[in-house]
Amino acid sequence: MTQTKNKHVTELIKFAKERFENFSDAETQEVFLTIKEAKARGLLRKQPPDRCLNQYVNAANYLLRTYSTHEFAEALTKNIDYLYAYIALVATNSITVTA
């Protein structure tokens, strides 16, 4: 399972670098730490945007809310914030990845 998750994260990062020229490994790490902390604090929920939350936590919550819909897939291809958040959600086991 961990191997599948790691492979998926690697593929996502490769896709992100191809899709968005401003994609940053440093930002990926920062978003990961933010999402990890949000998860530990119970801030990851299928809730509408909250202006008191970080943009990436709001993006993660949007993805959790729209998971398995066309809106989810569309968000990943159009907005780099959602892609960063998705990579962090996968890396923190907040979204399940299957082989």
Side-chain angles (χ1 to χ4, degrees), residues 27-45:
E27 189 71 12
T28 302
Q29 184 62 28
E30 184 62 33
V31 175
F32 169 76
L33 294 172
T34 300
I35 297 302
K36 183 177 175 184
E37 181 70 21
K39 182 178 180 178
R41 292 183 182 194
L43 298 173
L44 294 182
R45 297 187 288 276

Side-chain angles (χ1 to χ4, degrees), residues 74-99:
E74 191 174 290
L76 294 180
T77 59
K78 291 190 177 181
N79 188 317
I80 195 168
D81 290 353
Y82 291 106
L83 196 50
Y84 281 126
Y86 179 62
I87 292 168
L89 287 169
V90 171
T92 60
N93 294 318
S94 300
I95 286 185
T96 305
V97 177
T98 57

